[in-house]
Each structure stands twice: as C-alpha cells, then as structure tokens.
Amino acid sequence: MRLASVALLLFTVLPGPAVAQTESGLPDPALTPGAINPQITQANIDRTICVRGWTRTVRPPKAYTEDVKHHQIDVSYRYFDKRLRAYEEDHLIPLELGGSPTNLQNLWPEPHYVYSGWGSFVKDRLEYRLNRMVCDHKISLDTARQAIATNWITAYQEYIGPTPEGER
C-alpha cells in the first residue's frame, strides 16, 4: 500500500482537519488555468487593487462561490472528501492581483490541507506578498499574475521561501 493511500486511510479514521487526496496543492490546469479581470491594468492599480478594501467591491457573493465549490468538488475535481469546509473556493489569480471574480477558469476548490503542506492558507500568504510587491512597484502586475497562475508553489518558493513553513 502506498504511503499516500495509508495517509488517506488514516485520515478517514482519525479526527482532525480534512486532507484532500491531492498531494500537490495545485489546481488542474485544464480546469483552472486562471483568468484576469480585464478592467485591472498596471496603469490603474493605485486606484483599484492597491486600495485597501477594494476587493470587497468585486468579490462574488458567498452563495455563488459555495454553489460553484459544491459542483467542482463533486463533478469537476471529483474530490473524495466532499465536506465543503475542507476547501476554499479560491481564485487562482487572486482578486488582489486583478483576477476574474466569477470566471470558472479562475475558480477552484482549493484544499485547506494537503499532504505536501501546500494548502490554501499558504497560498493566501503568497497572494498578500505579491499584492504588496505589485503595489510597491517592485514587480509588474503581469509578472505577479503569470507567476501565480503558472505554478503558485514555485512562485511562493521564489518570493517567500522554499517550504510552506519557512520564510526568508
């Protein structure tokens, strides 16, 4: 029996946080390649994504994201663990970087916990860091979007540190 299978078996018996059956923490690029909000450009970041509270103006209603999450868990991603609380319906390109709020190519049920440690709470730290770097004009909006959409774990390792626990 593979180690991942043993871990999944233990998870189903022992109480604790939900651990998705994915080991990577990355979305399926065929289902979730990312999508941007075309209204957000490098030229207007100081009036949009860099304004505190701006994401509240574009964030979709919870009812919308919960319906999408339920469908994606069951039909698109076919996760074994069907508990909605085990996932965050996440924007691959976050709203903080001008990601599309409602385009299904930008939304996926991101597990809070995965075997590798690269779960949703780790990605949240990257989203904040990239937003700060864009708003401080240290990297371009397009660079940040491309990095997080291509492989957010690699982006984390480049901009924060090599492991989910370690920061530079």
Side-chain angles (χ1 to χ4, degrees), residues 13 17-18 23 25 28 49 52 57 69-71 77 82 91-92 95 98 104 110 126 140 144 155-156:
V13 176
E23 293 180 22
D28 180 337
I49 65 169
R52 184 179 171 100
T57 68
K69 178 168 55 170
H70 187 272
H71 176 80
Y77 277 84
K82 307 280 188 217
H91 296 90
L92 178 58
L95 301 178
L104 295 180
E110 181 183 17
L126 173 64
S140 73
Y156 184 100

Side-chain angles (χ1 to χ4, degrees), residues 22-66:
T22 180
E23 293 180 22
S24 74
L26 297 171
D28 180 337
L31 297 172
T32 312
I36 63 167
N37 179 344
Q39 297 176 353
I40 308 306
T41 65
Q42 185 70 46
N44 68 16
I45 62 171
D46 293 324
R47 295 185 312 273
T48 56
I49 65 169
C50 297
V51 174
R52 184 179 171 100
W54 179 84
T55 60
R56 283 183 294 220
T57 68
V58 296
R59 187 170 305 283
K62 187 169 180 132
Y64 173 79
T65 56
E66 287 295 301

Side-chain angles (χ1 to χ4, degrees), residues 96-109:
E96 294 89 340
L97 295 176
S100 173
T102 56
N103 187 321
L104 295 180
Q105 291 188 327
N106 198 44
L107 289 163
W108 105 94

Side-chain angles (χ1 to χ4, degrees), residues 66-125:
E66 287 295 301
D67 285 347
V68 170
K69 178 168 55 170
H70 187 272
H71 176 80
Q72 288 178 329
I73 287 170
D74 284 342
V75 178
S76 303
Y77 277 84
R78 299 181 186 176
Y79 286 141
F80 176 77
D81 185 350
K82 307 280 188 217
R83 295 177 296 169
L84 295 181
R85 72 176 186 262
Y87 307 91
E88 169 184 329
E89 188 63 22
D90 197 27
H91 296 90
L92 178 58
I93 300 173
L95 301 178
E96 294 89 340
L97 295 176
S100 173
T102 56
N103 187 321
L104 295 180
Q105 291 188 327
N106 198 44
L107 289 163
W108 105 94
E110 181 183 17
H112 291 305
Y113 303 97
V114 294
Y115 299 125
S116 63
W118 296 101
S120 68
F121 303 114
V122 176
K123 183 175 177 283
D124 289 344
R125 291 192 345 224

Side-chain angles (χ1 to χ4, degrees), residues 118 126 151-164 166 168:
W118 296 101
L126 173 64
N151 184 318
W152 74 262
I153 294 171
T154 300
Y156 184 100
Q157 292 168 332
E158 179 177 347
Y159 294 105
I160 297 179
T163 64
R168 290 184 220 177

Side-chain angles (χ1 to χ4, degrees), residues 136-153:
D136 291 343
H137 303 280
K138 293 181 178 176
I139 62 172
S140 73
L141 179 61
D142 286 343
T143 297
R145 286 172 167 172
Q146 183 67 32
I148 205 164
T150 302
N151 184 318
W152 74 262
I153 294 171

